[in-house]
């Protein structure tokens, strides 16, 4: 499916519009896509939460930190603003190290793994705006209202 000239598929992370113009967009991962009875394209989203949206977060690690949740709901494709990238924290660090290496080349290559060897299609290219790149270090259980340390198991959901 295409939205604003960007190809979207199941598994992609996207930013969704909020009703309040002062707030940052909501971020979710597309779990499924379908067409409703009226012919409108819909998506089921698995939500990411920002530390500012959660209780009991001691110190967020940055403005682009998110927490994965199992909270899902359905939304119209019309609410999608842009495709975003949600990386694991090590991938996020590697990505920014790669950008720094491009900007300031070093003689000894190999410290930062090659970007193309990462999860293909899920890692942003160098032309992506910084506002579209996030990292996830943990999982938020919205029923228990607490964060859980991210296990390697959850990386497959990012």
């Amino acid at each position: 499916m295409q939205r604003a000239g960007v190809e979207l598929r199941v598994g992609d992370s996207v930013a969704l519009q909020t009703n309040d113009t002062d707030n940052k967009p909501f971020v979710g991962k597309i779990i499924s896509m379908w067409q409703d009875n009226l012919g409108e394209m819909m998506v089921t989203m698995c939500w990411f939460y920002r530390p500012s949206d959660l209780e009991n977060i001691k110190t967020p690690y940055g403005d682009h930190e998110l927490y994965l949740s199992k909270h899902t709901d359905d939304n119209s494709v019309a609410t999608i603003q842009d495709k975003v990238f949600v990386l694991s924290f090590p991938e996020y660090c590697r990505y920014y190290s790669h950008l720094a290496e491009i900007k300031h080349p070093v003689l000894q290559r190999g410290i930062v793994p090659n970007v193309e060897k990462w999860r293909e299609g899920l890692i942003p290219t160098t032309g992506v705006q910084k506002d579209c790149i996030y990292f996830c270090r943990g999982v938020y259980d919205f029923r228990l209202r607490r964060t859980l340390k991210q296990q390697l198991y959850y990386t497959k959901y990012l």
Side-chain angles (χ1 to χ4, degrees), residues 76-91:
S76 169
V77 169
T79 62
I80 295 175
Q81 283 182 332
D82 202 358
K83 180 176 178 177
V84 299
F85 296 89
V86 180
L87 309 175
S88 67
F89 189 64
E91 288 172 333

Side-chain angles (χ1 to χ4, degrees), residues 18 25 51 65-66 92 94 98 117 134 138 140 142 148 151 155:
T18 62
E65 181 178 14
L66 299 173
Y92 184 83
R94 259 185 255 139
H98 175 72
K117 293 183 181 179
Y134 299 90
Y140 177 68
F142 70 98
L148 309 170
Q151 305 291 324
T155 304

Side-chain angles (χ1 to χ4, degrees), residues 64-77:
H64 292 264
E65 181 178 14
L66 299 173
Y67 284 85
L68 176 66
S69 76
K70 292 183 181 179
H71 177 200
T72 62
D73 64 14
D74 303 331
N75 293 278
S76 169
V77 169

